[in-house]
Amino acid sequence: MNRPLVVLFAIAAGSFATAVTLAASKDDVARSPIYGVAIPDGYRHWEMIAPAHETPPLDELRVVLGNDVAVKAYHDGTLPFPDGSVLVKLAWKHVQSKEFAPAFVPGAATTVQVMVKDSKKYASSGGWGFGRFINGKPADLAQHQSCLACHQAKVVDHDLVFTRYAP
């Protein structure tokens, strides 16, 4: 008669242990140096903002995705972007298709780059936090230090965002 209670307790204890492990792993996510930005959950399901092709030496195919806040800002033409906007750029090596010679397709993944808008948290960097990840791990400090300088030098008039919405 006591046996079902023991089994039930064991199941509940196991579920609790799983919940604690999941909570710990969420706190353990890889974050960029300087800004503390992480790759956002579910970003692969976000709307596409625009594709891009980088010429050599990078020679990459890229696509920028945006969360709902960023997408609404693009649709409404809102600048500066509102707090809560998140942009994710995926990049792959540019390779010729084996099946269709005139086409080029994504090859090996190179980086995932993230921009998070929080005008208070990132006040000293134009309101944006930056993250660059290679194989899911943050790139080195020097690569993160170059993010802000490049954006400030080239797109200060577009709230530090290079990508325009593709119609």
Side-chain angles (χ1 to χ4, degrees):
M1 188 142 182
N2 288 340
R3 197 173 198 162
L5 290 176
V6 171
V7 171
L8 206 69
F9 176 74
I11 291 169
S15 296
F16 176 73
T18 301
V20 169
T21 302
L22 289 175
S25 66
K26 250 192 169 178
D27 292 338
D28 244 1
V29 297
R31 296 194 176 277
S32 67
I34 305 172
Y35 305 99
V37 170
I39 297 173
D41 291 335
Y43 72 94
R44 292 296 295 252
H45 300 285
W46 293 358
E47 187 173 328
M48 182 186 73
I49 303 300
H53 173 234
E54 298 288 329
T55 59
L58 293 177
D59 205 23
E60 293 178 335
L61 294 176
R62 296 176 169 197
V63 65
V64 174
L65 309 174
N67 70 353
D68 291 341
V69 178
V71 169
K72 182 174 181 350
Y74 272 106
H75 287 208
D76 295 347
T78 303
L79 280 178
F81 285 83
D83 283 356
S85 296
V86 182
L87 301 171
V88 175
K89 181 189 297 180
L90 306 173
W92 302 267
K93 278 304 192 187
H94 169 257
V95 298
Q96 190 170 21
S97 171
K98 292 177 184 174
E99 292 83 14
F100 187 61
F104 288 86
V105 297
T110 58
T111 62
V112 173
Q113 298 174 42
V114 181
M115 290 180 67
V116 176
K117 183 70 181 253
D118 184 327
S119 57
K120 290 179 184 167
K121 183 175 183 178
Y122 304 117
S124 65
S125 55
W128 289 98
F130 299 89
R132 183 180 296 176
F133 300 86
I134 301 168
N135 295 323
K137 296 179 183 166
D140 64 32
L141 182 62
Q143 289 181 349
H144 283 90
Q145 289 171 326
S146 70
C147 293
L148 178 59
C150 184
H151 285 251
Q152 283 178 324
K154 299 180 180 183
V155 285
V156 72
D157 63 336
H158 197 255
D159 194 23
L160 305 182
V161 176
F162 282 98
T163 305
R164 305 309 196 266
Y165 189 75

